[in-house]
Amino acid sequence: MIWNWQQPDWPTFQWDQVRLEAAEKQFLVNGGVFVGTVRHLGTEERDQLTIEAMSTEAVTTSEIEGEILDRASVQSSIRKQLDWLRPNDGCGQRSEELLR
């Protein structure tokens, strides 16, 4: 897969609405299922899900930029920034810098 900016007709962005409709509908249904599921989680589980989502975004974004981060260190940094630290939770300085 190539990036949008690598397409030969960039920056003229075109799409086939018919091809996207089914995917969009499924995305909306899945989003509703996700929201409904999260409402039934306890605070600790919801917090962990938040940490997982945020760390996945940070690690993936860094990989795109060519930098590989330690997921546990990123999660620890996120907990620190949110004041959700666990005992013996150490985070790397580089992870903290990237989260700022």
Side-chain angles (χ1 to χ4, degrees), residues 2-16 20:
I2 61 175
W3 298 101
N4 284 339
W5 57 268
Q6 294 173 316
Q7 300 286 341
D9 60 349
W10 177 259
T12 306
F13 187 70
Q14 299 177 11
W15 67 93
D16 181 352
L20 294 176

Side-chain angles (χ1 to χ4, degrees), residues 4-72:
N4 284 339
W5 57 268
Q6 294 173 316
Q7 300 286 341
D9 60 349
W10 177 259
T12 306
F13 187 70
Q14 299 177 11
W15 67 93
D16 181 352
Q17 186 170 342
V18 174
R19 287 183 61 200
L20 294 176
E21 283 178 359
E24 181 182 21
K25 287 177 184 176
Q26 190 61 50
F27 175 81
L28 293 172
V29 168
N30 290 344
V33 170
F34 177 77
V35 169
T37 301
V38 169
R39 287 186 178 163
H40 294 284
L41 296 176
T43 302
E44 188 173 319
E45 291 87 3
R46 231 184 344 246
D47 290 350
Q48 183 58 38
L49 186 61
T50 300
I51 298 297
E52 290 290 337
M54 291 175 76
S55 65
T56 296
E57 181 67 22
V59 169
T60 304
T61 300
S62 294
E63 286 174 358
I64 291 170
E65 298 296 326
E67 185 163 2
I68 306 301
L69 298 177
D70 177 66
R71 178 175 298 278

